[in-house]
PDB file of all heavy atoms in Angstrom:
ATOM      1  N   ASP A 191     283.027 100.123 103.089  1.00  0.00           N
ATOM      2  CA  ASP A 191     284.021 101.068 102.557  1.00  0.00           C
ATOM      3  C   ASP A 191     284.245 100.785 101.015  1.00  0.00           C
ATOM      4  O   ASP A 191     284.495  99.777 100.662  1.00  0.00           O
ATOM      5  CB  ASP A 191     285.513 100.682 103.277  1.00  0.00           C
ATOM      6  CG  ASP A 191     286.550 101.517 102.745  1.00  0.00           C
ATOM      7  OD1 ASP A 191     286.378 102.448 101.887  1.00  0.00           O
ATOM      8  OD2 ASP A 191     287.739 101.316 103.130  1.00  0.00           O
ATOM      9  N   SER A 192     283.707 101.812 100.201  1.00  0.00           N
ATOM     10  CA  SER A 192     283.676 101.597  98.799  1.00  0.00           C
ATOM     11  C   SER A 192     285.039 101.737  98.222  1.00  0.00           C
ATOM     12  O   SER A 192     285.195 101.460  96.794  1.00  0.00           O
ATOM     13  CB  SER A 192     282.662 102.503  98.202  1.00  0.00           C
ATOM     14  OG  SER A 192     281.368 102.139  98.756  1.00  0.00           O
ATOM     15  N   GLY A 193     285.943 102.333  98.896  1.00  0.00           N
ATOM     16  CA  GLY A 193     287.306 102.458  98.420  1.00  0.00           C
ATOM     17  C   GLY A 193     287.604 103.730  97.711  1.00  0.00           C
ATOM     18  O   GLY A 193     286.805 104.728  97.773  1.00  0.00           O
ATOM     19  N   SER A 194     288.741 103.805  97.048  1.00  0.00           N
ATOM     20  CA  SER A 194     289.027 105.088  96.330  1.00  0.00           C
ATOM     21  C   SER A 194     288.645 105.055  94.838  1.00  0.00           C
ATOM     22  O   SER A 194     288.199 104.021  94.322  1.00  0.00           O
ATOM     23  CB  SER A 194     290.705 105.123  96.431  1.00  0.00           C
ATOM     24  OG  SER A 194     291.265 103.956  95.674  1.00  0.00           O
ATOM     25  N   ASN A 195     288.734 106.208  94.329  1.00  0.00           N
ATOM     26  CA  ASN A 195     288.222 106.502  92.938  1.00  0.00           C
ATOM     27  C   ASN A 195     288.830 107.768  92.496  1.00  0.00           C
ATOM     28  O   ASN A 195     289.148 108.692  93.166  1.00  0.00           O
ATOM     29  CB  ASN A 195     286.759 106.663  92.909  1.00  0.00           C
ATOM     30  CG  ASN A 195     286.135 106.911  91.505  1.00  0.00           C
ATOM     31  OD1 ASN A 195     285.654 106.013  90.790  1.00  0.00           O
ATOM     32  ND2 ASN A 195     286.046 108.176  91.188  1.00  0.00           N
ATOM     33  N   VAL A 196     289.148 107.741  91.145  1.00  0.00           N
ATOM     34  CA  VAL A 196     289.657 108.903  90.470  1.00  0.00           C
ATOM     35  C   VAL A 196     288.884 109.291  89.254  1.00  0.00           C
ATOM     36  O   VAL A 196     288.575 108.249  88.507  1.00  0.00           O
ATOM     37  CB  VAL A 196     291.072 108.898  90.313  1.00  0.00           C
ATOM     38  CG1 VAL A 196     291.484 107.838  89.163  1.00  0.00           C
ATOM     39  CG2 VAL A 196     291.711 110.175  89.846  1.00  0.00           C
ATOM     40  N   GLY A 197     288.398 110.496  89.129  1.00  0.00           N
ATOM     41  CA  GLY A 197     287.817 110.879  87.776  1.00  0.00           C
ATOM     42  C   GLY A 197     288.964 111.435  86.789  1.00  0.00           C
ATOM     43  O   GLY A 197     290.039 111.694  87.247  1.00  0.00           O
ATOM     44  N   VAL A 198     288.483 111.455  85.567  1.00  0.00           N
ATOM     45  CA  VAL A 198     289.511 112.014  84.557  1.00  0.00           C
ATOM     46  C   VAL A 198     288.824 112.891  83.539  1.00  0.00           C
ATOM     47  O   VAL A 198     287.730 112.561  83.049  1.00  0.00           O
ATOM     48  CB  VAL A 198     290.218 110.780  83.798  1.00  0.00           C
ATOM     49  CG1 VAL A 198     289.211 109.896  83.086  1.00  0.00           C
ATOM     50  CG2 VAL A 198     291.265 111.227  82.867  1.00  0.00           C
ATOM     51  N   LEU A 199     289.559 113.984  83.312  1.00  0.00           N
ATOM     52  CA  LEU A 199     289.213 114.999  82.234  1.00  0.00           C
ATOM     53  C   LEU A 199     290.068 114.786  81.131  1.00  0.00           C
ATOM     54  O   LEU A 199     291.267 114.912  81.294  1.00  0.00           O
ATOM     55  CB  LEU A 199     289.180 116.310  82.753  1.00  0.00           C
ATOM     56  CG  LEU A 199     288.879 117.407  81.814  1.00  0.00           C
ATOM     57  CD1 LEU A 199     287.412 117.437  81.163  1.00  0.00           C
ATOM     58  CD2 LEU A 199     289.079 118.935  82.425  1.00  0.00           C
ATOM     59  N   VAL A 200     289.487 114.320  79.913  1.00  0.00           N
ATOM     60  CA  VAL A 200     290.468 114.108  78.806  1.00  0.00           C
ATOM     61  C   VAL A 200     290.498 115.231  77.776  1.00  0.00           C
ATOM     62  O   VAL A 200     289.380 115.586  77.270  1.00  0.00           O
ATOM     63  CB  VAL A 200     289.962 112.720  78.082  1.00  0.00           C
ATOM     64  CG1 VAL A 200     290.843 112.503  76.905  1.00  0.00           C
ATOM     65  CG2 VAL A 200     289.861 111.595  78.930  1.00  0.00           C
ATOM     66  N   ASP A 201     291.610 115.858  77.696  1.00  0.00           N
ATOM     67  CA  ASP A 201     291.911 116.860  76.762  1.00  0.00           C
ATOM     68  C   ASP A 201     290.913 118.107  76.934  1.00  0.00           C
ATOM     69  O   ASP A 201     290.573 118.776  75.981  1.00  0.00           O
ATOM     70  CB  ASP A 201     291.758 116.379  75.301  1.00  0.00           C
ATOM     71  CG  ASP A 201     292.678 117.056  74.327  1.00  0.00           C
ATOM     72  OD1 ASP A 201     293.914 117.292  74.754  1.00  0.00           O
ATOM     73  OD2 ASP A 201     292.282 117.313  73.230  1.00  0.00           O
ATOM     74  N   GLY A 202     290.419 118.339  78.198  1.00  0.00           N
ATOM     75  CA  GLY A 202     289.600 119.502  78.507  1.00  0.00           C
ATOM     76  C   GLY A 202     288.233 119.344  77.852  1.00  0.00           C
ATOM     77  O   GLY A 202     287.468 120.171  77.898  1.00  0.00           O
ATOM     78  N   THR A 203     287.854 117.990  77.291  1.00  0.00           N
ATOM     79  CA  THR A 203     286.666 117.860  76.547  1.00  0.00           C
ATOM     80  C   THR A 203     285.655 116.865  77.202  1.00  0.00           C
ATOM     81  O   THR A 203     284.530 117.294  77.384  1.00  0.00           O
ATOM     82  CB  THR A 203     286.970 117.352  75.089  1.00  0.00           C
ATOM     83  OG1 THR A 203     287.894 118.301  74.467  1.00  0.00           O
ATOM     84  CG2 THR A 203     285.793 117.074  74.290  1.00  0.00           C
ATOM     85  N   LEU A 204     286.079 115.726  77.628  1.00  0.00           N
ATOM     86  CA  LEU A 204     285.228 114.865  78.151  1.00  0.00           C
ATOM     87  C   LEU A 204     285.617 114.461  79.728  1.00  0.00           C
ATOM     88  O   LEU A 204     286.830 114.227  79.934  1.00  0.00           O
ATOM     89  CB  LEU A 204     285.251 113.431  77.379  1.00  0.00           C
ATOM     90  CG  LEU A 204     284.352 112.349  77.993  1.00  0.00           C
ATOM     91  CD1 LEU A 204     283.620 111.629  76.795  1.00  0.00           C
ATOM     92  CD2 LEU A 204     285.159 111.361  78.778  1.00  0.00           C
ATOM     93  N   TYR A 205     284.663 114.561  80.531  1.00  0.00           N
ATOM     94  CA  TYR A 205     284.899 114.232  81.925  1.00  0.00           C
ATOM     95  C   TYR A 205     284.198 112.859  82.355  1.00  0.00           C
ATOM     96  O   TYR A 205     282.989 112.853  82.176  1.00  0.00           O
ATOM     97  CB  TYR A 205     284.355 115.293  82.842  1.00  0.00           C
ATOM     98  CG  TYR A 205     284.553 115.174  84.324  1.00  0.00           C
ATOM     99  CD1 TYR A 205     285.819 114.847  84.789  1.00  0.00           C
ATOM    100  CD2 TYR A 205     283.473 115.116  85.243  1.00  0.00           C
ATOM    101  CE1 TYR A 205     286.051 114.639  86.267  1.00  0.00           C
ATOM    102  CE2 TYR A 205     283.683 115.009  86.595  1.00  0.00           C
ATOM    103  CZ  TYR A 205     285.025 114.706  87.133  1.00  0.00           C
ATOM    104  OH  TYR A 205     285.160 114.443  88.399  1.00  0.00           O
ATOM    105  N   HIS A 206     284.928 111.939  82.799  1.00  0.00           N
ATOM    106  CA  HIS A 206     284.517 110.664  83.288  1.00  0.00           C
ATOM    107  C   HIS A 206     284.738 110.584  84.713  1.00  0.00           C
ATOM    108  O   HIS A 206     285.877 110.516  85.195  1.00  0.00           O
ATOM    109  CB  HIS A 206     285.265 109.570  82.597  1.00  0.00           C
ATOM    110  CG  HIS A 206     284.734 108.210  82.827  1.00  0.00           C
ATOM    111  ND1 HIS A 206     284.594 107.667  84.029  1.00  0.00           N
ATOM    112  CD2 HIS A 206     284.472 107.178  81.989  1.00  0.00           C
ATOM    113  CE1 HIS A 206     284.113 106.311  83.951  1.00  0.00           C
ATOM    114  NE2 HIS A 206     283.963 106.070  82.681  1.00  0.00           N
ATOM    115  N   PRO A 207     283.726 110.648  85.669  1.00  0.00           N
ATOM    116  CA  PRO A 207     284.013 110.728  87.037  1.00  0.00           C
ATOM    117  C   PRO A 207     284.298 109.502  87.820  1.00  0.00           C
ATOM    118  O   PRO A 207     284.391 109.477  88.951  1.00  0.00           O
ATOM    119  CB  PRO A 207     282.690 111.388  87.564  1.00  0.00           C
ATOM    120  CG  PRO A 207     281.724 110.779  86.635  1.00  0.00           C
ATOM    121  CD  PRO A 207     282.332 110.728  85.280  1.00  0.00           C
ATOM    122  N   GLY A 208     284.282 108.295  87.040  1.00  0.00           N
ATOM    123  CA  GLY A 208     284.106 107.043  87.703  1.00  0.00           C
ATOM    124  C   GLY A 208     282.949 106.849  88.491  1.00  0.00           C
ATOM    125  O   GLY A 208     281.841 107.186  88.023  1.00  0.00           O
ATOM    126  N   ASP A 209     283.073 106.227  89.580  1.00  0.00           N
ATOM    127  CA  ASP A 209     281.926 106.068  90.437  1.00  0.00           C
ATOM    128  C   ASP A 209     281.857 107.061  91.497  1.00  0.00           C
ATOM    129  O   ASP A 209     282.076 106.898  92.732  1.00  0.00           O
ATOM    130  CB  ASP A 209     282.003 104.664  91.119  1.00  0.00           C
ATOM    131  CG  ASP A 209     281.505 103.516  90.187  1.00  0.00           C
ATOM    132  OD1 ASP A 209     281.238 103.896  89.008  1.00  0.00           O
ATOM    133  OD2 ASP A 209     281.418 102.328  90.717  1.00  0.00           O
ATOM    134  N   SER A 210     281.537 108.334  91.098  1.00  0.00           N
ATOM    135  CA  SER A 210     281.479 109.449  91.950  1.00  0.00           C
ATOM    136  C   SER A 210     280.648 110.543  91.189  1.00  0.00           C
ATOM    137  O   SER A 210     280.493 110.564  90.116  1.00  0.00           O
ATOM    138  CB  SER A 210     282.875 110.018  92.327  1.00  0.00           C
ATOM    139  OG  SER A 210     283.438 110.789  91.408  1.00  0.00           O
ATOM    140  N   PHE A 211     280.336 111.511  92.093  1.00  0.00           N
ATOM    141  CA  PHE A 211     279.810 112.704  91.592  1.00  0.00           C
ATOM    142  C   PHE A 211     280.722 113.853  91.829  1.00  0.00           C
ATOM    143  O   PHE A 211     280.228 115.008  92.125  1.00  0.00           O
ATOM    144  CB  PHE A 211     278.333 113.023  92.106  1.00  0.00           C
ATOM    145  CG  PHE A 211     277.365 112.018  91.788  1.00  0.00           C
ATOM    146  CD1 PHE A 211     276.567 111.293  92.663  1.00  0.00           C
ATOM    147  CD2 PHE A 211     277.070 111.875  90.422  1.00  0.00           C
ATOM    148  CE1 PHE A 211     275.728 110.397  92.246  1.00  0.00           C
ATOM    149  CE2 PHE A 211     276.130 110.894  90.079  1.00  0.00           C
ATOM    150  CZ  PHE A 211     275.494 110.094  90.982  1.00  0.00           C
ATOM    151  N   THR A 212     282.054 113.729  91.887  1.00  0.00           N
ATOM    152  CA  THR A 212     283.017 114.765  92.138  1.00  0.00           C
ATOM    153  C   THR A 212     282.920 115.759  90.938  1.00  0.00           C
ATOM    154  O   THR A 212     282.928 115.323  89.658  1.00  0.00           O
ATOM    155  CB  THR A 212     284.335 114.169  92.101  1.00  0.00           C
ATOM    156  OG1 THR A 212     284.533 113.242  93.283  1.00  0.00           O
ATOM    157  CG2 THR A 212     285.486 115.309  92.293  1.00  0.00           C
ATOM    158  N   LEU A 213     282.761 116.940  91.143  1.00  0.00           N
ATOM    159  CA  LEU A 213     282.627 118.060  90.200  1.00  0.00           C
ATOM    160  C   LEU A 213     283.960 118.276  89.471  1.00  0.00           C
ATOM    161  O   LEU A 213     284.993 118.415  90.163  1.00  0.00           O
ATOM    162  CB  LEU A 213     282.075 119.196  90.696  1.00  0.00           C
ATOM    163  CG  LEU A 213     280.701 119.166  91.296  1.00  0.00           C
ATOM    164  CD1 LEU A 213     280.350 120.464  92.016  1.00  0.00           C
ATOM    165  CD2 LEU A 213     279.703 118.967  90.261  1.00  0.00           C
ATOM    166  N   PRO A 214     283.929 118.567  88.135  1.00  0.00           N
ATOM    167  CA  PRO A 214     285.235 118.984  87.520  1.00  0.00           C
ATOM    168  C   PRO A 214     285.401 120.450  87.891  1.00  0.00           C
ATOM    169  O   PRO A 214     284.642 121.059  88.373  1.00  0.00           O
ATOM    170  CB  PRO A 214     284.875 118.930  86.017  1.00  0.00           C
ATOM    171  CG  PRO A 214     283.373 118.981  85.940  1.00  0.00           C
ATOM    172  CD  PRO A 214     282.805 118.366  87.185  1.00  0.00           C
ATOM    173  N   ASP A 215     286.637 120.928  87.576  1.00  0.00           N
ATOM    174  CA  ASP A 215     287.053 122.290  87.994  1.00  0.00           C
ATOM    175  C   ASP A 215     286.570 123.332  86.976  1.00  0.00           C
ATOM    176  O   ASP A 215     286.921 124.444  87.041  1.00  0.00           O
ATOM    177  CB  ASP A 215     288.464 122.314  88.338  1.00  0.00           C
ATOM    178  CG  ASP A 215     289.359 122.148  87.029  1.00  0.00           C
ATOM    179  OD1 ASP A 215     288.764 121.798  86.013  1.00  0.00           O
ATOM    180  OD2 ASP A 215     290.528 122.152  87.240  1.00  0.00           O
ATOM    181  N   ARG A 216     285.787 122.949  85.961  1.00  0.00           N
ATOM    182  CA  ARG A 216     285.403 123.712  84.929  1.00  0.00           C
ATOM    183  C   ARG A 216     284.124 123.223  84.261  1.00  0.00           C
ATOM    184  O   ARG A 216     283.743 122.032  84.398  1.00  0.00           O
ATOM    185  CB  ARG A 216     286.322 123.985  83.800  1.00  0.00           C
ATOM    186  CG  ARG A 216     286.697 122.675  82.990  1.00  0.00           C
ATOM    187  CD  ARG A 216     287.911 122.760  82.304  1.00  0.00           C
ATOM    188  NE  ARG A 216     289.160 122.526  83.067  1.00  0.00           N
ATOM    189  CZ  ARG A 216     290.322 122.303  82.575  1.00  0.00           C
ATOM    190  NH1 ARG A 216     290.584 122.475  81.336  1.00  0.00           N
ATOM    191  NH2 ARG A 216     291.325 122.044  83.487  1.00  0.00           N
TER     192      ARG A 216
END
């Protein structure tokens, strides 16, 4: 169980997904 993770899109410019390949919504 690798646990939870959250990605972050900063100011609509840079997307950091953490340890995931979750796609941004844009």
Side-chain angles (χ1 to χ4, degrees):
D191 180 4
S192 299
S194 57
N195 178 89
V196 68
V198 61
L199 175 62
V200 182
D201 215 41
T203 300
L204 179 138
Y205 179 57
H206 188 309
D209 279 4
S210 81
F211 292 124
T212 300
L213 297 173
D215 62 1
R216 69 194 79 175

